[in-house]
Amino acid sequence: MLTLLVFAFLGLAFAENGIDGWLRYASLPRDVAAGARIPGVIIALNDSVVSPIFTAGRELQKGIAGITGVQLKVSSTTTGNTSSITVGTLDSVASAAGQVANLPELTGDGFYLDTTGSGARIIGHTERGALYGAFEYLSMLAQGNFSEVSYASNPSAPIRWANQWDNLDGSIERGYAGPSIFFKNGAVVSDLTRVSQYARLLASVGINGLVVNNVNAALAANIPLLNSANIAGLGRIADAMRPWGVRLALSLNFDAPRNNGGLATSDPFDSAVIKFWDDKTAELYRSIPDLAGFLVKANSEDQPGPLTYNRTLADGANLFAKALKPHGDGLVMFRAFVYDHHLTEDNWKNDRANAAVDFFKHLDGQFDDNVVIQIKYGPIDFQVREPPSPLFANLLQSNVAIELQVTQEYLGQQNHLVYLPPLWKTILDYDLKVEGQSSVIGRDILTGHRFNRSTNGYASVINVGTNTTWLGHHLAMSNFYAYGRLAWDPLRDETQIVEEWAHLTFGSDRKVIDTITDMSLESWPAYENYTGNLGIQTLTDITGPHYGPNPASQDGNGWGQWTRADATTIGMDRTVWNGTGFSGQYPPEIAAKYEKIETTPDDLLLWFHHVPYTQRLKSGKTVIQHFYDAHYAGAETVQSFPERWASLKGLIDDERFNEVAFRLEYQTGHAIVWRDAINEFYRNMSSIPDDQGRVGNHTWRIEAEKMTLSGYQAVSVTPFETASGRKAITTSSNQTTGTATATLDFPSGVYNIGVNYYDVMGGRAKYEILLNGQTLGKWEGNLEDKLGNTFSSQLNGHSAARVYFKGVNVEKGAVLTIRGTPDGGEPAPLDYVSILPIGRVD
Ligand SMILES: *[C@@H]1O[C@H](CO)[C@@H](O)[C@H](O)[C@H]1NC(C)=O
Ligand SMILES: *[C@@H]1O[C@H](CO)[C@@H](O)[C@H](O)[C@H]1NC(C)=O
Ligand SMILES: *[C@@H]1O[C@H](CO)[C@@H](O)[C@H](O)[C@H]1NC(C)=O
Ligand SMILES: *[C@@H]1O[C@H](CO)[C@@H](O)[C@H](O)[C@H]1NC(C)=O
Ligand SMILES: *[C@@H]1O[C@H](CO)[C@@H](O)[C@H](O)[C@H]1NC(C)=O
Ligand SMILES: *[C@@H]1O[C@H](CO)[C@@H](O)[C@H](O)[C@H]1NC(C)=O
Ligand SMILES: *[C@@H]1O[C@H](CO)[C@@H](O)[C@H](O)[C@H]1NC(C)=O
Ligand SMILES: *[C@@H]1O[C@H](CO)[C@@H](O)[C@H](O)[C@H]1NC(C)=O
Ligand SMILES: *[C@@H]1O[C@H](CO)[C@@H](O)[C@H](O)[C@H]1NC(C)=O
Ligand SMILES: *[C@@H]1O[C@H](CO)[C@@H](O)[C@H](O)[C@H]1NC(C)=O
Ligand SMILES: *[C@@H]1O[C@H](CO)[C@@H](O)[C@H](O)[C@H]1NC(C)=O
């Protein structure tokens, strides 16, 4: 018992569960810490516990203690000690320390940081700005950077918000790290510790607003949002975030007048409806005096909206804008995600991508000045690659914000490492050349400079959950961090950002920083390669969980994420001359580029053009051969991740090391599932073989359905391409263990053995693999526990997974056996076994 306790204690001391994210304030190595110049006292010029300046004082104290071991006092008045860290607003610093001369210009939540001389001065343009300056100073110290600096930093835009898609029942739409930190059983949770921890992370990267509930606010579970108990609960959430300068906003149900107010209509022109919203807004402000505003998803995917009442979208947005106006600076974030999801594919000219401009362009100039149009980065929906939404070039008299996703809805759901800033940069750095003038989305449009707007900015769906990792994958936190950094300054370099994040999150070891940086930078190109390349979109199951491969689901339904793939051709014809006309929504120079195949870059070819599989790319390859090659290359790239990560063992704590190692290994298997499914699907459809002879030709593979089976039966898998050879095996009953046996006819040698199985919901089947009757290893169908998210109860591309047994000695003629013991609804499914010579990716 005693030894167990000691062990547990040591374990705790070294383990890190991710809860502090990049704000760990780990102690610096002794030699680095020796160079620290730490002032003698912290002066935080506001003693109100709800002030971000007070928070800054506490955070500086905590951070400096962690980083250097020096415990400083915090005072709220000057002490006369020149060796102090003073943090305050311009006014408070001026009145405490006299005139502040020659300060660079500060705007918005900007700050000035001065570490020259014996002390440090952190001066915010707002109280929130002062807190941001304190975080910046701490970030320098945590990276062992004690240089003397003196500079101002101003945000690129005033709106830097996060969105959570949390439902009142505690579930999170497209959340992958456990249930909500805000809601449970229809109400706000009582313990808001996690909420303040989240606000701290948000503040540390300059995020100043948070929409706490799902945009799908009309879901039945979310209807009670506006009852008085919940409004009081929302007030408590706002209170918990206020010391961090994060303001609360709410998603509204357009139909609340009918659903909550007992009215017969939600018509925005109806006087009772107007009164309902005026009263509700006033009630909300009584509970949340600094309410940041509302987010509205209307007339989208069956949500009600103004069009339901024959009013315009602007009429709908302005209804809320007018309700907010008397109370201060609250904003209506009105989503541009309005489209018809019952489009018919038969009509060549139909195109969901056209929707945002079709619905909003003619309303430009009709929105109240506290309405902001929140526009997804691309015209469809967070795909692995999209051109920028042309709406950014069509709203010249409206406030706009870009909508990004930190939560990886279509991008691996935090089970795959995918560092997103390189994708975001394809949009932020894009020059739309509106009216022939430089119109870079991040630098010129979102800053408001190009069209003289003062209320533009950023929103990102983050969807943290109760898991201590926040997002499920420790490495996914770089996306959260980078989102804040880029909203503050869209010109920042994505490589520098991930290096800085890795340093803060995992320590100063150069090998650790470089390995994480390199893998992160390769991860999005690799993911694009093994999911959907050439602008065809993420070829996932668009009517299901948006996770594994299912290219057929793109077509033949009203959702409009079509590929128009047939036996000879593929791609959406979005030209003006012969297609949907989408390319014409861009300014002339951009439109002309996309109108022709010759001037369309390869990576968006299939987004804009319908071409034969044999169409030559600029690379010289055909479209179909590029598909095959890219899928092989992408899957191969990620095969190297586990080994590269393994080289960091001992350089970071075991807990995070092991958790990341598990996910990277899982990713290697799922990347192969993706690769094979997409390649097999298009090989089948096009009848064109891979000129490298790889697709459908798996020399090292033993199909489970071809093994000798006892208690197992062969089953067909749907979609067909998500099982090798179209078939898998499942146990014949859910009570008895099944056995699959094969004699191995490979030359004797050392092999890595990969076993592909399906991990479905509904049970935790047990598996054992044996060689000549000797147990080689065991595993369980328990990814629902180990990854923390559940994909499917069926055998398909979501549930398909792989385990490895590495470095196994295999004699020619050895007998391989797999025993699968079903559990409840999980019939121990198996697809195939790969016996791979070392270094070989099958
Ligand atoms: C300022 O603070 C430092 C560190 O606490 C201390 O060593 C020094 O004596 C103080 N100076 C004055 C003038 O109080
Ligand atoms: C101190 O902080 C509170 C809360 O943020 C604020 O209302 C007050 O104006 C601040 N006081 C000064 C002197 O800045
Ligand atoms: C230290 O931080 C400053 C301010 O962010 C930066 O300009 C400088 O490059 C950093 N120095 C090092 C060595 O990282
Ligand atoms: C909207 O207008 C159409 C055509 O003018 C009409 O048929 C319909 O009843 C109207 N709907 C409502 C809710 O007023
Ligand atoms: C920009 O807008 C402001 C008001 O929002 C106006 O006063 C100013 O004249 C405008 N500037 C230009 C160059 O249009
Ligand atoms: C976090 O998720 C992991 C699975 O990824 C799970 O093992 C762990 O129990 C979860 N922790 C919490 C606190 O939810
Ligand atoms: C033009 O559009 C038609 C459909 O209306 C399509 O069948 C044809 O392939 C397109 N032509 C070219 C050259 O893309
Ligand atoms: C993606 O695929 C292309 C084409 O095969 C290849 O040139 C590139 O190296 C691949 N990149 C990654 C990161 O896998
Ligand atoms: C594609 O699959 C279908 C059955 O789904 C089959 O009939 C056809 O022969 C396959 N074509 C090729 C080229 O493999
Ligand atoms: C299948 O792959 C092997 C190498 O693994 C190769 O020798 C053979 O030619 C391929 N078969 C076809 C039909 O491409
Ligand atoms: C086993 O399968 C039977 C028939 O499909 C089903 O009724 C039963 O619920 C299953 N048992 C468990 C424990 O899931």
Side-chain angles (χ1 to χ4, degrees):
M1 203 58 213
L2 190 64
T3 49
L4 261 182
L5 277 174
V6 169
F7 181 78
F9 176 75
L10 285 177
L12 272 182
F14 293 106
E16 293 204 40
N17 60 15
I19 194 80
D20 286 318
W22 52 86
L23 300 176
R24 296 155 57 246
Y25 303 135
S27 65
L28 288 172
R30 207 164 304 220
D31 55 323
V32 180
R37 303 174 308 112
I38 301 301
V41 64
I42 297 161
I43 302 167
L45 293 167
N46 195 319
D47 59 6
S48 156
V49 293
V50 300
S51 167
I53 291 175
F54 181 88
T55 308
R58 291 304 166 92
E59 191 70 15
L60 287 163
Q61 184 182 44
K62 175 178 176 174
I64 289 168
I67 295 165
T68 66
V70 178
Q71 192 71 43
L72 297 181
K73 286 207 165 61
V74 187
S75 160
S76 63
T77 52
T78 45
T79 60
N81 194 326
T82 53
S83 168
S84 65
I85 304 167
T86 304
V87 54
T89 56
L90 190 51
D91 288 348
S92 61
V93 173
S95 69
Q99 197 61 36
V100 187
N102 299 328
L103 216 57
E105 195 200 0
L106 294 180
T107 61
D109 293 325
F111 60 84
Y112 171 66
L113 173 63
D114 176 15
T115 65
T116 57
S118 59
R121 285 189 304 161
I122 302 168
I123 301 176
H125 191 236
T126 56
E127 290 197 66
R128 188 184 289 123
L131 175 60
Y132 297 164
F135 274 118
E136 177 112 335
Y137 178 56
L138 284 168
S139 169
M140 283 180 67
L141 298 182
Q143 293 175 74
N145 181 347
F146 308 115
S147 50
E148 298 200 14
V149 296
S150 163
Y151 63 92
S153 180
N154 292 311
S156 75
I159 303 172
R160 300 178 309 279
W161 286 19
N163 293 358
Q164 286 281 138
W165 288 351
D166 296 34
N167 298 313
L168 291 189
D169 63 7
S171 63
I172 305 178
E173 184 166 328
R174 314 297 175 190
Y176 310 108
S180 174
I181 63 171
F182 299 98
F183 306 109
K184 192 177 179 177
N185 300 331
V188 174
V189 298
S190 52
D191 180 355
L192 295 175
T193 310
R194 288 297 297 273
V195 172
S196 13
Q197 288 172 332
Y198 184 30
R200 173 172 175 252
L201 288 169
L202 291 166
S204 74
V205 290
I207 305 300
N208 59 9
L210 175 70
V211 179
V212 287
N213 63 312
N214 193 356
V215 282
N216 287 322
L219 294 176
N222 294 331
I223 299 289
L225 175 75
L226 295 175
N227 72 28
S228 58
N230 280 333
I231 289 177
L234 293 165
R236 287 192 297 113
I237 294 177
D239 292 346
M241 303 199 299
R242 191 168 296 112
W244 302 98
V246 180
R247 292 169 65 182
L248 180 142
L250 287 181
S251 295
L252 293 184
N253 166 16
F254 193 88
D255 244 354
R258 290 193 324 122
N259 299 152
N260 299 91
L263 301 181
T265 178
S266 296
D267 179 352
F269 284 6
D270 183 280
S271 59
V273 171
I274 294 170
K275 182 170 188 319
F276 170 86
W277 285 117
D278 286 349
D279 292 350
K280 267 302 162 199
T281 306
E283 189 183 349
L284 283 164
Y285 271 98
R286 281 194 292 279
S287 188
I288 311 160
D290 55 353
L291 181 73
F294 300 137
L295 173 63
V296 181
K297 172 179 179 177
N299 290 118
S300 171
E301 300 178 333
D302 295 325
Q303 298 279 304
L307 302 177
T308 320
Y309 301 96
N310 285 350
R311 308 300 180 192
T312 71
L313 294 171
D315 296 334
N318 294 344
L319 165 71
F320 304 110
K322 288 185 169 55
L324 287 165
K325 198 71 179 183
H327 301 279
D329 61 354
L331 299 173
V332 180
M333 306 295 287
F334 198 81
R335 285 178 107 219
F337 191 55
V338 179
Y339 67 100
D340 174 1
H341 67 281
H342 301 288
L343 282 180
T344 47
E345 194 169 356
D346 296 346
N347 184 341
W348 190 256
K349 309 256 174 195
N350 276 348
D351 189 359
R352 167 171 163 188
N354 285 337
V357 170
D358 285 353
F359 277 103
F360 283 87
K361 183 183 167 73
H362 66 283
L363 299 174
D364 193 20
Q366 295 180 28
F367 295 99
D368 285 3
D369 65 1
N370 56 339
V371 173
V372 181
I373 309 303
Q374 182 167 317
I375 307 169
K376 292 192 186 195
Y377 62 79
I380 297 283
D381 194 16
F382 304 128
Q383 298 301 297
V384 69
R385 189 185 289 270
E386 298 189 46
S389 170
L391 193 54
F392 291 114
N394 285 282
L395 292 181
L396 315 191
Q397 301 171 69
S398 309
N399 304 317
V400 297
I402 194 170
E403 182 174 314
L404 304 170
Q405 263 193 340
V406 164
T407 194
Q408 295 168 226
E409 175 180 351
Y410 289 91
L411 302 171
Q413 305 190 351
Q414 285 104 281
N415 301 317
H416 292 233
L417 167 62
V418 185
Y419 178 58
L420 297 169
L423 161 64
W424 297 339
K425 282 284 202 172
T426 65
I427 308 293
L428 296 176
D429 292 347
Y430 197 100
D431 187 351
L432 285 166
K433 303 192 176 153
V434 183
E435 289 161 356
Q437 287 178 45
S438 171
S439 311
V440 177
I441 292 176
R443 189 192 64 195
D444 304 326
I445 295 181
L446 297 176
T447 53
H449 298 158
R450 179 67 181 83
F451 304 121
N452 190 29
R453 311 299 313 173
S454 58
T455 318
N456 281 3
Y458 293 76
S460 177
V461 187
I462 299 187
N463 288 354
V464 300
T466 52
N467 199 271
T468 59
T469 60
W470 296 99
L471 290 172
H473 196 319
H474 292 288
L475 299 187
M477 290 293 273
S478 60
N479 291 323
F480 179 174
Y481 181 84
Y483 165 62
R485 292 295 184 223
L486 288 171
W488 189 270
D489 178 6
L491 302 181
R492 278 210 58 186
D493 175 72
E494 65 269 28
T495 305
Q496 260 181 23
I497 294 175
V498 67
E499 280 177 341
E500 181 180 293
W501 169 82
H503 193 154
L504 294 169
T505 305
F506 290 104
S508 59
D509 193 297
R510 206 58 236 176
K511 182 173 180 188
V512 172
I513 296 172
D514 290 345
T515 304
I516 292 173
T517 299
D518 292 347
M519 288 185 351
S520 299
L521 291 173
E522 288 166 37
S523 61
W524 168 65
Y527 188 82
E528 179 182 30
N529 270 354
Y530 66 73
T531 59
N533 40 37
L534 302 178
I536 196 66
Q537 309 169 78
T538 312
L539 293 167
T540 187
D541 188 339
I542 65 148
T543 57
H546 299 184
Y547 183 61
N550 187 354
S553 73
Q554 316 286 124
D555 291 281
N557 57 49
W559 293 97
Q561 295 188 217
W562 305 322
T563 68
R564 292 196 181 280
D566 60 21
T568 53
T569 53
I570 184 169
M572 278 292 287
D573 183 349
R574 291 190 160 111
T575 61
V576 174
W577 77 271
N578 189 56
T580 70
F582 169 79
S583 65
Q585 292 188 342
Y586 290 100
E589 209 176 321
I590 310 294
K593 173 168 116 170
Y594 292 136
E595 188 66 11
K596 296 206 192 77
I597 290 176
E598 306 80 69
T599 47
T600 303
D602 284 350
D603 57 26
L604 285 172
L605 180 72
L606 302 180
W607 181 281
F608 285 103
H609 300 282
H610 184 73
V611 300
Y613 291 108
T614 51
Q615 174 76 34
R616 292 274 162 198
L617 300 172
K618 293 177 181 57
S619 67
K621 282 182 192 174
T622 61
V623 163
I624 190 70
Q625 193 58 41
H626 181 92
F627 260 57
Y628 298 149
D629 291 351
H631 281 80
Y632 271 89
E636 184 148 1
T637 298
V638 302
Q639 302 309 305
S640 70
F641 286 178
E643 205 170 310
R644 288 151 84 183
W645 184 256
S647 75
L648 307 182
K649 188 164 177 60
L651 301 178
I652 59 183
D653 58 287
D654 285 350
E655 182 169 349
R656 290 185 303 166
F657 174 84
N658 289 330
E659 287 171 6
V660 171
F662 180 80
R663 279 177 198 252
L664 293 175
E665 180 109 338
Y666 167 83
Q667 181 177 8
T668 66
H670 202 234
I672 286 177
V673 169
W674 261 102
R675 180 199 73 189
D676 290 348
I678 300 301
N679 282 346
E680 183 53 23
F681 181 84
Y682 289 104
R683 188 203 62 80
N684 176 270
M685 190 172 261
S686 70
S687 307
I688 300 174
D690 167 25
D691 69 17
Q692 307 282 308
R694 297 158 301 190
V695 178
N697 174 27
H698 303 289
T699 327
W700 309 100
R701 222 172 251 194
I702 302 164
E703 296 296 340
E705 63 274 17
K706 297 197 175 138
M707 294 170 78
T708 304
L709 305 180
S710 158
Y712 259 123
Q713 67 202 2
V715 294
S716 293
V717 173
T718 309
F720 73 86
E721 70 276 10
T722 58
S724 188
R726 298 175 172 236
K727 285 192 157 54
I729 61 172
T730 55
T731 51
S732 320
S733 98
N734 61 6
Q735 307 296 324
T736 5
T737 296
T739 308
T741 310
T743 302
L744 302 182
D745 191 25
F746 300 95
S748 299
V750 180
Y751 292 84
N752 291 330
I753 299 183
V755 183
N756 278 56
Y757 68 108
Y758 297 85
D759 199 322
V760 299
M761 287 189 279
R764 285 156 186 84
K766 289 189 168 53
Y767 299 86
E768 183 176 7
I769 179 169
L770 309 97
L771 205 54
N772 287 334
Q774 300 289 306
T775 301
L776 217 110
K778 295 180 181 184
W779 76 99
E780 271 185 51
N782 60 357
L783 288 176
E784 55 268 58
D785 307 321
K786 299 191 85 172
L787 293 174
N789 49 15
T790 46
F791 324 111
S792 180
S793 52
Q794 306 296 317
L795 278 57
N796 54 32
H798 312 302
S799 56
R802 169 181 279 210
V803 285
Y804 283 101
F805 302 91
K806 291 188 174 163
V808 181
N809 246 310
V810 176
E811 300 293 323
K812 191 174 165 82
V815 176
L816 176 91
T817 306
I818 298 181
R819 284 199 194 122
T821 305
D823 180 44
E826 190 168 70
L830 285 167
D831 187 5
Y832 65 90
V833 182
S834 276
I835 313 287
L836 300 164
I838 305 297
R840 169 106 203 173
V841 181
D842 61 343

